[in-house]
Amino acid sequence: MIPAVLLLAGVALLVLTWLSVLRTVFTPRQRSGRLMRVAVRGVGGGGAALARWLPPGGRERVLDLCAPLALMLVGGGWVVATFAGAALLSPALAGIPPTPGGIARFMVLRDDSGAAVLAVAGWLAVLQVLLVFGLHLSRIIAAYSRRERMVAALSTHSTKPSEAEFLLAEHLRFGSREHLDDLFRQWTAWLADIRATHTGYPALTCFRPAGELCWLDAAVLVLDAAALTHAVAPAWAPHSARSVLDAGSSCLPALARQLGIDLPRPAVSLQGREERGFEHSVRVAVLAGLPEQRGYGEAWAHFQDWRTRYAPQAAAMRVRLHYAHGEDELAVGRVGRAAA
């Protein structure tokens, strides 16, 4: 009776473990496996709670460890569950005494029952889990590198999300419409990659920025430049300006929902641009060569129609991920009150 119960428990444990492995590593799609989501949420929440009580230097060190720790907990859980599942199979399949000592001798290949093949198979399964986990880590590291590489390239031009008009003006003065089109096309692909990887591998969202410009600010910076272009000069704007705005309006709300943030759409979004008047932004862009095809009032309405789709979510995520300072928290609060 006991070997049969252990057999069922071992089979169930192995099946559940490998379903988790396959769901997390090979078929994440728009949602990772439950174990990974729980680990990221639990470790991230615990790290954030601890970080509130620490000075800035200690806070960053703790938050830096949250994503790697969540990954290691999941990988360790898969290894332990695979090992335990193989051990539970041994009494029924190899005739090992159903005692801790008998199972331990079997798994360390010191049993004389002639069932070493089953023990070797168990260790091979553990090794396979380790190899699959290594593949998972390599994908996450590659996605993180792609994310930060684009942000680092952008940071040579601008470091604040309020500098969108200067980014636009620089490309207008020293480039061409095709150059601007190429910029927006690259960031459309970047945003699509961010959505696919950060929803499929949720630990990526908790990885800290590599430089001073965080990836959320970089996204808002480029999206604001595209929104300004499309609002002021809709007929002249490159086709990719609309594409990058559509990608950003889809990507950032999806990532926000993954973090449990579901904001109502406000009438106006000023996050990060409280000290930048829209008239000044238009003037900077027009002086750099952007055709003025809409009046100020109409351009402002179109700019806000786009910005309210992505900027509030980015600001809220900055606060949730502890990238933000006090003024960002106030900005998010203003969004909620305005929308209410």
Side-chain angles (χ1 to χ4, degrees):
M1 180 64 181
I2 293 179
V5 172
L6 294 178
L7 175 66
L8 292 175
V11 170
L13 186 58
L14 288 173
V15 168
L16 290 175
T17 300
W18 276 98
L19 284 176
S20 176
V21 171
L22 295 174
R23 183 72 178 85
T24 302
V25 179
F26 296 107
T27 58
R29 296 180 184 174
Q30 296 295 318
R31 191 172 175 85
S32 182
R34 184 183 301 274
L35 178 62
M36 184 63 74
R37 298 199 309 272
V38 170
V40 170
R41 191 177 300 118
V43 175
L50 176 61
R52 293 191 186 98
W53 300 94
L54 298 175
R59 181 185 308 129
E60 280 302 312
R61 292 188 185 95
V62 169
L63 294 174
D64 277 341
L65 294 174
C66 287
L69 180 58
L71 289 170
M72 296 310 295
L73 286 176
V74 171
W78 287 342
V79 169
V80 170
T82 302
F83 183 88
L88 291 173
L89 296 179
S90 61
L93 300 183
I96 301 301
T99 63
I103 294 175
R105 285 193 300 273
F106 169 76
M107 292 305 297
V108 297
L109 305 177
R110 291 185 178 178
D111 188 80
D112 298 328
S113 64
V117 174
L118 182 60
V120 171
W123 282 110
L124 289 176
V126 171
L127 177 61
Q128 190 173 19
V129 168
L130 290 172
L131 292 174
V132 170
F133 182 63
L135 172 64
H136 185 60
L137 289 181
S138 69
R139 289 178 175 176
I140 288 177
I141 293 170
Y144 177 75
S145 297
R146 291 195 302 272
R147 185 185 87 181
E148 296 301 319
R149 191 182 304 119
M150 285 286 287
V151 175
L154 184 68
S155 66
T156 61
H157 302 282
S158 304
T159 58
K160 298 179 181 178
S162 59
E163 296 179 346
E165 60 268 31
F166 298 108
L167 174 67
L168 177 59
E170 181 176 354
H171 281 78
L172 290 171
R173 288 195 187 100
F174 303 107
S176 62
R177 183 176 180 274
E178 289 70 26
H179 189 203
L180 192 64
D181 184 51
D182 185 57
L183 172 72
F184 292 152
R185 189 181 298 111
Q186 290 178 19
W187 281 86
T188 301
W190 182 85
L191 284 162
D193 185 58
I194 289 292
R195 179 172 184 177
T197 55
H198 286 55
T199 54
Y201 306 124
L204 272 170
T205 306
C206 297
F207 272 93
R208 310 297 287 174
E212 293 185 7
L213 180 64
C214 84
W215 59 281
L216 290 169
D217 284 348
V220 171
L221 180 62
V222 174
L223 289 169
D224 278 355
L228 183 60
T229 303
H230 201 273
V232 175
W236 178 91
H239 176 73
S240 58
R242 176 63 183 261
S243 299
V244 75
L245 288 168
D246 286 336
S249 300
S250 172
C251 172
L252 294 179
L255 296 183
R257 287 191 295 271
Q258 181 173 270
L259 291 174
I261 300 170
D262 191 10
L263 296 176
R265 186 176 174 183
V268 174
S269 168
L270 297 176
Q271 293 88 354
R273 297 189 61 86
E274 292 87 350
E275 299 179 3
R276 296 282 185 186
F278 184 71
E279 186 175 0
H280 171 266
S281 299
V282 172
R283 185 163 58 249
V284 169
V286 169
L287 288 175
L290 182 68
E292 191 171 6
Q293 297 174 342
R294 278 190 179 130
Y296 170 79
E298 188 180 3
W300 164 255
H302 279 82
F303 179 75
Q304 285 298 324
D305 181 60
W306 281 114
R307 198 172 202 269
T308 53
R309 304 181 192 190
Y310 57 83
Q313 288 81 2
M317 283 191 286
R318 290 183 84 254
V319 174
R320 180 66 57 86
L321 296 171
H322 292 266
Y323 298 163
H325 302 291
E327 62 270 16
D328 300 297
E329 297 179 5
L330 291 174
V332 173
R334 284 195 294 272
V335 170
R337 290 194 294 273

